[in-house]
Amino acid sequence: MKKLLYELEHCSTDEQRQKIEEMNELMEEMGKEEFKSVFTKEWFKRINQMIEDKILSWENAILLLKHVGYCQTLKCFYDFAFKYSFLSDRFQEMIIEEKMMIEEKDEKLLVDLCECYLLLNRWPSSEMSSIIAPCILKVALKKEENEETQKEVEMALLALSNFRSINVLKELFINEIKEVIQYHQKHHNLTQLAYQSAWEFFLNRSHFDHSLEHVIVNEVHFEREAIRELEELAKWMNWKKKEEEMSKEEANEVNIIKRWLHALGIFFRLFRLWKEEFAELIGSVAHVCRAARENNKEISNWCICSFRDATENGNVRVDSLLKGRAIDVVLEEIHRQTLNKNIEYHSLDFFFSISRRAKEKKKDEMEEVKRKAAKRKVFEKLEEEGYEDTITSFHELFNFFSTQFYYQLSLNIFDYFIYV
């Protein structure tokens, strides 16, 4: 990759485009650690210098940089190298300059700059957010169903899904993102990645504005859509293949599943409008976890994490975790000989939270009866499945976990049992 970057400096504009296409293909094959080792602050500094010296055109720079951000965002990881580079400052200046132009404004260039910037920096300032959000949403609202428009809309929504900043006022997006989601629900005009990205953007906003919960749950019906999308993706996945054996299309589907699981983690952890039927949503995650466990440990771990997130939300009932078979799946995972440390930790964390939640007495008499019934069922299931033996086998790891990962993990083994 570094060799190709050096070669860019000695190519014509057309030759540069060809080299960049080669670089973009190589990026898609990279793992997270390799990606971070290549695209460092120094790498972005070199790109910035090439733009300043007019060695690299803005058009070609955006073609390269947008794909860096695309791969990062699709693969669900983030690096701060661009955010703290001079290139980030140059992008901000260009976006503001292009936005302020009245005559000869290049709308496509402005969109490209905004998408590229947001894919690489998920925490823009208030000033940048007020420019970027309306600009990209305008593209996301396109309704034409031809392939070119679908790609434009997908890229716009993927960029928006990367938005983590608090600096996005509800007035800048609420009607538009609802329209995108509701139009797709009627006409199915979005790709799977675009639709997931629309939800990711919406759910990320709920971190800062809990009033969005009513819209997400009761107006656009997140749980129903998430169940359907997960089931559709899981149905067509070839789970017998290891990730490195998958085609590009199959690998992208795996990435979309990971992104749904990340979105579900937000939903399980934060949302207070919990309903009984959400147990079916937990059941969909349980199904994915079982399907992925042989050849995709990362997806299995994400599933366990989403269950753990659910236990930390006091509005998620323990009996929903029982009905959704979350407890069964976690028990199955920790009994496996190929269990890895991440799943060990998150499984123990899950049981710790289950134990704590089951002991929380309710003031309402009927709710207290339900709590005791759920608590009894959990205890019976854990006892039946050899929970005592499993926890005993983890005893030597408790000290490591409690000091390295999660200080609340107790060294007293009996804290992990549930008594009626």
Side-chain angles (χ1 to χ4, degrees):
M1 186 65 79
K2 291 180 180 179
K3 180 183 175 185
L4 287 171
L5 180 62
Y6 173 78
E7 291 174 359
L8 281 182
E9 301 181 28
H10 308 283
C11 295
S12 66
T13 300
D14 289 340
E15 289 171 335
Q16 280 183 351
R17 180 171 286 269
Q18 185 176 349
K19 293 287 183 188
I20 288 169
E21 287 173 356
E22 290 179 44
M23 293 171 80
N24 288 349
E25 287 181 10
L26 286 173
M27 282 180 220
E28 294 177 7
E29 304 298 322
M30 289 182 177
K32 185 188 300 185
E33 296 309 315
E34 183 184 5
F35 206 97
K36 288 182 178 181
S37 70
V38 171
F39 300 105
T40 61
K41 191 174 180 180
E42 289 68 32
W43 189 90
F44 288 113
K45 181 179 179 181
R46 185 62 198 143
I47 294 293
N48 184 56
Q49 193 64 50
M50 289 170 69
I51 294 171
E52 188 170 323
D53 295 341
K54 300 190 185 305
I55 295 171
L56 185 64
S57 68
W58 267 109
E59 183 182 7
N60 281 347
I62 288 171
L63 181 65
L64 174 60
L65 291 165
K66 189 183 281 192
H67 205 71
V68 175
Y70 171 87
C71 289
Q72 269 190 184
T73 305
L74 182 60
K75 295 179 181 182
C76 304
F77 71 91
Y78 180 72
D79 188 77
F80 288 91
F82 173 81
K83 179 178 174 63
Y84 296 116
S85 69
F86 290 119
L87 184 57
S88 176
D89 297 334
R90 182 177 291 275
F91 261 83
Q92 291 180 52
E93 290 169 6
M94 275 289 292
I95 289 169
I96 293 169
E97 180 183 319
E98 196 63 34
K99 176 65 177 175
M100 296 300 291
M101 290 183 68
I102 299 174
E103 297 181 3
E104 299 182 4
K105 181 184 291 187
D106 189 335
E107 293 288 351
K108 184 180 183 307
L109 175 60
L110 179 59
V111 169
D112 283 338
L113 287 166
C114 288
E115 288 179 350
C116 191
Y117 180 78
L118 188 53
L119 286 165
L120 290 165
N121 177 15
R122 56 177 59 176
W123 284 286
S125 65
S126 297
E127 182 183 15
M128 295 306 298
S129 296
S130 66
I131 297 172
I132 288 172
C135 177
I136 301 181
L137 277 165
K138 188 176 179 182
V139 178
L141 285 165
K142 289 185 177 182
K143 302 294 194 301
E144 298 88 349
E145 294 187 20
N146 59 70
E147 186 176 350
E148 183 180 351
T149 301
Q150 278 197 326
K151 286 182 179 179
E152 289 178 12
V153 171
E154 181 180 88
M155 185 63 77
L157 288 168
L158 185 69
L160 286 170
S161 76
N162 211 36
F163 237 130
R164 297 294 189 273
S165 175
I166 193 173
N167 301 307
V168 191
L169 297 174
K170 185 160 64 174
E171 293 73 18
L172 291 176
F173 71 86
I174 183 68
N175 292 328
E176 289 83 355
I177 204 66
K178 274 178 62 180
E179 182 179 341
V180 168
I181 289 172
Q182 289 175 331
Y183 188 86
H184 174 78
Q185 288 172 352
K186 289 183 180 179
H187 303 282
H188 306 288
N189 62 308
L190 301 177
T191 64
Q192 286 178 311
L193 176 58
Y195 191 47
Q196 189 284 326
S197 297
W199 279 113
E200 186 97 9
F201 171 70
F202 212 172
L203 288 162
N204 281 328
R205 307 273 53 79
S206 68
H207 273 287
F208 313 111
D209 187 347
H210 287 295
S211 68
L212 294 174
E213 287 186 29
H214 175 78
V215 179
I216 291 170
V217 172
N218 296 321
E219 294 186 34
V220 286
H221 310 291
F222 171 74
E223 76 289 350
R224 179 192 69 196
E225 298 298 300
I227 290 167
R228 193 192 66 245
E229 291 292 312
L230 269 184
E231 288 179 351
E232 190 70 18
L233 285 161
K235 181 169 58 177
W236 295 110
M237 276 299 304
N238 186 348
W239 295 107
K240 293 181 179 179
K241 281 187 179 180
K242 294 185 178 179
E243 200 163 356
E244 58 269 20
E245 299 170 343
M246 292 179 177
S247 66
K248 179 181 174 181
E249 291 74 21
E250 289 171 327
N252 282 341
E253 287 180 347
V254 167
N255 285 326
I256 297 171
I257 290 174
K258 289 176 185 176
R259 289 170 59 80
W260 271 113
L261 292 170
H262 176 265
L264 285 165
I266 298 171
F267 181 76
F268 289 149
R269 185 171 61 254
L270 296 180
F271 276 53
R272 297 169 293 185
L273 297 174
W274 189 259
K275 298 179 180 179
E276 291 292 329
E277 55 266 33
F278 290 176
E280 188 179 348
L281 187 54
I282 292 172
S284 295
V285 178
H287 173 70
V288 169
C289 190
R290 281 176 168 148
R293 64 168 45 132
E294 292 297 335
N295 293 315
N296 201 308
K297 295 295 181 204
E298 189 175 5
I299 285 185
S300 294
N301 189 47
W302 281 50
C303 291
I304 303 297
C305 285
S306 68
F307 294 147
R308 186 273 318 277
D309 290 337
T311 65
E312 293 178 354
N313 182 345
N315 298 290
V316 178
R317 298 170 64 101
V318 172
D319 58 0
S320 292
L321 295 163
L322 279 164
K323 291 176 186 175
R325 305 189 72 80
I327 293 172
D328 298 78
V329 168
V330 179
L331 281 168
E332 290 164 9
E333 286 297 318
I334 63 176
H335 278 304
R336 291 170 59 77
Q337 292 180 347
T338 55
L339 183 65
N340 65 34
K341 287 183 178 179
N342 282 329
I343 294 178
E344 285 176 359
Y345 161 62
H346 292 301
S347 297
L348 283 174
D349 199 355
F350 171 80
F351 285 125
F352 177 84
S353 296
I354 283 283
S355 177
R356 174 179 54 78
R357 288 289 311 285
K359 293 174 183 177
E360 293 172 349
K361 294 184 178 181
K362 305 292 183 182
K363 292 182 180 179
D364 182 84
E365 190 174 333
M366 288 301 296
E367 288 298 312
E368 178 64 8
V369 170
K370 290 179 182 178
R371 179 193 71 83
K372 285 186 175 180
K375 183 178 173 184
R376 187 177 293 107
K377 286 180 184 176
V378 171
F379 175 68
E380 289 171 353
K381 182 174 289 295
L382 299 179
E383 188 176 49
E384 177 187 334
E385 295 293 331
Y387 178 70
E388 183 174 358
D389 291 339
T390 301
I391 291 299
T392 301
S393 71
F394 284 139
H395 186 55
E396 293 180 3
L397 298 173
F398 281 2
N399 185 51
F400 172 74
F401 286 134
S402 63
T403 56
Q404 299 295 323
F405 293 108
Y406 194 65
Y407 72 94
Q408 291 186 45
L409 283 173
S410 171
L411 296 180
N412 183 351
I413 192 170
F414 296 105
D415 283 354
Y416 293 87
F417 291 92
I418 301 168
Y419 294 101
V420 180

